[in-house]
Amino acid sequence: MQAIGNMVLNTGRAQGRQVVSSAWIQAMTSPQIATGPGMTTPAYGYAWWIGQVSGAGFALANGWGGQFIMVVPAKRLVVTTAAATTGLSSVATMAQW
């Protein structure tokens, strides 16, 4: 997950090579759909939630069970987590993040 986050942070580059086009990284981490009131982020890109934290834009890939990748380009920051949510309801799982 960290490698994917770093690749997104570096606009598609990994280990010195362009592995995903920078145009695609830009498109997938840009708002494509407004999510509306009640959602934790105001927009959704292509498989990435888009929002702001402390005035800096972020893209968040949210997996099932507490896994997520958050990329904050202005801070050069990638945060990843993996959590055990076995046995929790979907509501309880979402409440954890």
Side-chain angles (χ1 to χ4, degrees):
M1 292 187 318
Q2 190 70 34
I4 292 169
N6 284 330
M7 185 266 307
V8 171
L9 178 67
N10 293 307
T11 59
R13 295 189 65 78
Q15 299 179 349
R17 294 185 357 214
Q18 192 75 39
V19 295
V20 176
S21 78
S22 59
W24 177 248
I25 298 295
Q26 176 64 36
M28 75 180 202
T29 59
S30 295
Q32 303 297 327
I33 300 169
T35 56
M39 296 299 289
T40 56
T41 60
Y44 193 66
Y46 295 125
W48 290 75
W49 296 98
I50 312 301
Q52 293 231 341
V53 62
S54 299
F58 71 82
L60 174 75
N62 185 24
W64 179 251
Q67 297 80 27
F68 74 79
I69 304 167
M70 178 183 268
V71 179
V72 186
K75 305 287 185 186
R76 300 285 309 152
L77 176 68
V78 174
V79 178
T80 60
T81 66
T85 57
T86 303
L88 295 178
S89 70
S90 60
V91 172
T93 300
M94 292 305 290
Q96 289 197 2
W97 78 268

